Amino acid sequence: MSDTFFAYLVTLAYGDKETPTLAQVVFLSENEAEDTRTVARALLQNAKQTAPEKTRFDWSTLKVHGSQSLSDDELMGLVAAAAQGQVGVGRVSTLKLS
């Protein structure tokens, strides 16, 4: 088992398809090469609580419109939408943590 984690900044899109709400969240993984497809799969699994223990989203880092946080109810709604496949992954960028 590795204790090394790789951090990614993930842009999520949800809500109205014509004008979706964009949010960013930190995704921690044991994999060094994540992309939008693998992160989208992990998002669906994580929301359904079937994700591997070592791959996860740090929902406490979620920011909407650049700086706004969601209330607990809004966050629960977002996770529920993700479990139904209604949240898209738009971009996955590697984060350098120091």
Side-chain angles (χ1 to χ4, degrees):
M1 292 188 112
S2 172
D3 286 339
T4 302
F5 286 96
F6 300 93
Y8 299 89
L9 184 62
V10 176
T11 301
L12 305 175
Y14 64 98
D16 182 44
K17 290 184 180 183
E18 296 298 318
T19 56
T21 298
L22 298 179
Q24 292 185 317
V25 65
V26 172
F27 175 71
L28 301 173
S29 174
E30 287 186 314
N31 300 321
E32 188 173 4
E34 295 286 1
D35 59 21
T36 55
R37 184 173 32 154
T38 60
V39 172
R41 187 177 316 120
L43 175 63
L44 185 59
Q45 292 172 340
N46 184 269
K48 290 182 177 181
Q49 299 180 355
T50 59
E53 290 182 24
K54 298 295 182 180
T55 302
R56 66 185 197 84
F57 288 85
D58 184 354
W59 294 112
S60 69
T61 65
L62 182 78
K63 297 294 180 202
V64 178
H65 302 295
S67 63
Q68 298 173 343
S69 297
L70 295 180
S71 69
D72 288 344
D73 288 340
E74 291 169 323
L75 181 57
M76 286 175 36
L78 174 60
V79 173
Q84 296 172 13
Q86 299 173 346
V87 176
V89 174
R91 181 184 297 174
V92 177
S93 305
T94 304
L95 284 176
K96 300 290 182 193
L97 301 177
S98 54

